[in-house]
Amino acid sequence: MHDFKPVYIERYKKLLGEEWDIFKEAIVTPFPSSFRINTLKGKRHEILKRLEDKGWKIKQVPFYSEGFCFTEKRDFVLGNTLEHFLGLVYIQETASMIPPAVLAPKPGELVLDLTAAPGSKTTQMAAMMENQGGIVANEKEIGRLASLRMNLQRCGVLNTVVTQMDGRAFKIIDMKFDKVLLDAPCTGTGTIMKSPHTIKTWSVKASQVMSGIQKQLIQSAVNVLKPGGTLVYSTCSLEPEEDEENIDYAIKKMGLKMEKIKLDGFKTRSGITSWENKEYDSEASKSIRVYPQDNNTEGFFVAKLVKE
Amino acid sequence: MRILNRREVEVFEAKIENIYGAKESLREFTVLLSGKEDKIWIANKELFQIPLEKLRVNSVGLYFGRIDGGKLRLSVEGAGIIGLKAEKNVVELDEAHLWDFLRGFDIELKEKVPETKEYVLVKHKNDFLGIAKLEGNTLKNALPKSRKIVSLTK
């Protein structure tokens, strides 16, 4: 049984209206396991053939050709399979595949993953870049570096340097990237099913504090982005303070331009443009909200911005 | 961390060729040494357009292996890269032994394999699983603890 705080219920009723009842069920309901095929370790069709031969019942994620989810209950643990050992598959929640898919890094580009651990999105980007070009995978927390390095290793990533820095330090670094992924640290209110403790730790104050840190990280991202470069900002939080408020900041204070996001076959909602007596830039509506009830995934927020 | 020059890489390649028969195995990578110059890393060459001196670097590229008491001890991924070109010192496991190997157990081989003091590459069908040390007909498991699988799903 999940006990939502009254203030949480009040906020989400305001955000979702009549959908609150559906949302509160969906946010705590287990969703189908999903994974990515790692094309750095094998060809897509060969890996798929192998999984098919083993009888895995899977279907492709609509917006990403290397993403799959199980269509039937499994009697095995994906992390204990030979395919996982070999790095042919990477366990990753469907919604978590969206930010790299939207950033769309290409072979030869220079990319910064500002908050990289545990490396799901870094390894996805390395595969999209075919191990060419370069990625700086940065992680502030030393305790999270081991999982990041382990995942890069298992996936056979050759185009990545791991750095251990406070992401905010990139605000004063003189170097430029074609693309930056800022999958920001957040309160995680989109991942309650996976992390039930979030219900207890979350507060409006926590979101506001996080929002301040996220704005500083946006400043860093903008500093190291080339003119014409793309920034994808994402969180697994559904709090407007951590999402559209920061996009409003990126547009108005940092001069970034929004780009529309299109994910074929995957239901998303437009970003909101007002919240609790605050009006956000109308362009914030080009960002997307992923609600758990729409696709049976985690909740997520993603925005695509360009530096002029 | 130090980047090896072309001549140093060639010396290293010669060592690999001598052990596994794999020719020019590192030609496409930048090769780096770290620690007491006993840990070997490989990376794509384009990565070095990033000005690393401006960053607090933790690691670069893929951990390829290390020199352990004068012997080349490859990582699972290093074994996979060399395995594609290897012509000797490769031991193939059957289905039953595969699961034991991945769980970290030593393997008693039924058939006699050529003796070597070097680490051998271990494979199952076309999959390279890592390395092991041969002691008589026993394959001494050298999988790192972090890669062992507690219970397997076939």
Side-chain angles (χ1 to χ4, degrees):
Chain A
M1 182 65 189
H2 296 81
D3 291 320
F4 295 105
K5 292 177 180 176
V7 64
Y8 179 93
I9 296 171
E10 187 190 328
R11 276 166 71 85
Y12 277 77
K13 278 185 174 173
K14 206 182 290 179
L15 190 62
L16 296 154
E18 290 175 352
E19 280 194 80
W20 158 249
D21 284 332
I22 306 168
F23 174 85
K24 79 173 179 192
E25 289 299 320
I27 196 83
V28 296
T29 303
F31 37 78
S33 309
S34 51
F35 64 91
R36 241 185 334 101
I37 280 176
N38 176 26
T39 50
L40 297 180
K41 283 288 189 88
K43 291 189 170 67
R44 183 181 184 275
H45 68 277
E46 287 173 357
I47 302 173
L48 276 177
K49 172 79 170 60
R50 184 176 177 137
L51 306 186
E52 194 179 290
D53 290 347
K54 290 201 156 192
W56 291 20
K57 305 290 182 201
I58 56 175
K59 68 171 182 184
Q60 193 196 300
V61 168
F63 61 86
Y64 188 62
S65 61
E66 275 73 40
F68 292 85
C69 61
F70 286 92
T71 55
E72 289 179 9
K73 200 168 166 50
R74 287 168 292 136
D75 60 355
F76 62 89
V77 178
L78 188 50
N80 287 348
T81 59
L82 176 60
E83 287 68 28
H84 185 268
F85 171 89
L86 293 168
L88 297 172
V89 299
Y90 186 101
I91 301 166
Q92 187 173 351
E93 215 287 306
T94 300
S96 154
M97 299 177 200
I98 298 173
V102 170
L103 189 64
K106 295 181 177 58
E109 289 183 332
L110 287 186
V111 178
L112 170 64
D113 188 348
L114 202 48
T115 51
S120 306
K121 298 174 188 73
T122 318
T123 52
Q124 185 180 349
M125 292 195 294
M128 294 170 83
M129 295 166 73
E130 299 168 17
N131 251 343
Q132 297 169 45
I135 301 176
V136 172
N138 181 64
E139 177 52 47
K140 178 187 170 189
E141 304 292 338
I142 194 164
R144 288 165 59 85
L145 283 174
S147 61
L148 172 60
R149 283 174 51 166
M150 179 69 185
N151 285 324
L152 292 171
Q153 179 75 20
R154 193 173 56 82
C155 289
V157 174
L158 288 159
N159 70 340
T160 298
V161 52
V162 174
T163 59
Q164 194 218 333
M165 298 164 62
D166 187 324
R168 292 171 290 190
F170 282 84
K171 190 183 170 185
I172 52 166
I173 284 183
D174 177 25
M175 58 191 296
K176 297 294 176 200
F177 294 87
D178 298 298
K179 289 173 177 167
V180 177
L181 175 64
L182 173 50
D183 185 46
C186 64
T187 56
T189 53
T191 64
I192 288 171
M193 199 292 290
K194 200 170 66 183
S195 315
H197 69 278
T198 302
I199 294 177
K200 290 178 185 160
T201 57
W202 175 85
S203 66
V204 175
K205 180 74 182 163
S207 273
Q208 289 166 342
V209 169
M210 203 54 91
S211 182
I213 295 168
Q214 289 157 346
K215 286 184 183 68
Q216 291 176 311
L217 290 170
I218 289 172
Q219 290 173 12
S220 286
V222 174
N223 176 57
V224 292
L225 197 58
K226 284 179 185 170
T230 305
L231 163 67
V232 165
Y233 175 87
S234 60
T235 70
C236 56
S237 165
L238 296 169
E239 305 299 310
E241 291 85 349
E242 299 177 59
D243 297 334
E244 288 88 348
E245 181 182 308
N246 289 337
I247 298 311
D248 179 71
Y249 173 84
I251 296 168
K252 290 177 181 165
K253 304 286 185 190
M254 307 303 296
L256 299 185
K257 299 288 179 200
M258 288 292 287
E259 283 203 351
K260 207 165 170 55
I261 296 170
K262 194 169 180 294
L263 299 175
D264 289 333
F266 194 78
K267 187 175 177 183
T268 59
R269 316 286 183 106
S270 297
I272 61 171
T273 53
S274 63
W275 176 247
E276 303 210 317
N277 303 322
K278 283 184 185 171
E279 292 295 323
Y280 302 140
D281 194 292
S282 62
E283 286 285 288
S285 64
K286 288 182 178 170
S287 54
I288 58 168
R289 292 185 150 256
V290 175
Y291 287 147
Q293 67 266 34
D294 288 343
N295 308 283
N296 215 358
T297 66
E298 284 182 349
F300 235 82
F301 174 86
V302 185
K304 184 179 185 184
L305 304 115
V306 174
K307 183 178 179 178
E308 290 198 317
Chain B
M1 204 166 247
R2 181 174 74 84
I3 296 176
L4 298 191
N5 62 36
R6 189 186 167 93
R7 185 164 163 69
E8 289 174 308
V9 172
E10 283 171 358
V11 170
F12 200 59
E13 281 183 329
K15 185 178 175 73
I16 293 169
E17 185 174 349
N18 187 38
I19 303 169
Y20 300 113
K23 293 184 176 71
E24 298 182 356
S25 51
L26 299 174
R27 206 52 56 97
E28 62 185 293
F29 308 115
T30 296
V31 183
L32 307 98
L33 294 181
S34 75
K36 293 174 183 170
E37 300 226 325
D38 57 344
K39 290 186 177 163
I40 307 143
W41 302 76
I42 56 173
N44 84 336
K45 293 183 176 173
E46 286 180 313
L47 183 57
F48 296 89
Q49 52 186 306
I50 295 171
L52 299 181
E53 70 283 358
K54 294 182 180 178
L55 303 167
R56 188 175 172 200
V57 174
N58 180 272
S59 67
V60 179
L62 187 81
Y63 176 59
F64 181 73
R66 67 186 162 99
I67 303 297
D68 178 18
K71 306 292 179 204
L72 177 61
R73 187 176 177 141
L74 295 169
S75 65
V76 173
E77 281 64 39
I81 290 167
I82 297 305
L84 295 173
K85 294 182 173 179
E87 292 173 350
K88 57 181 177 176
N89 284 331
V90 179
V91 173
E92 184 156 5
L93 299 182
D94 59 20
E95 192 85 3
H97 281 151
L98 162 71
W99 312 119
D100 285 341
F101 183 81
L102 294 182
R103 287 159 69 193
F105 296 131
D106 295 341
I107 307 290
E108 287 297 326
L109 299 170
K110 291 170 198 150
E111 292 173 15
K112 185 90 182 145
V113 289
E115 282 184 23
T116 177
K117 289 191 173 4
E118 303 290 347
Y119 285 95
V120 295
L121 304 179
V122 180
K123 70 180 283 197
H124 169 69
K125 295 181 180 170
N126 292 323
D127 299 327
F128 282 87
L129 310 170
I131 54 157
K133 196 102 191 207
L134 264 179
E135 281 184 16
N137 251 27
T138 304
L139 213 49
K140 303 293 281 185
N141 201 308
L143 267 186
K145 202 173 174 181
S146 59
R147 295 297 288 265
K148 289 174 188 168
I149 301 178
V150 180
S151 64
L152 270 168
T153 302
K154 298 180 185 182

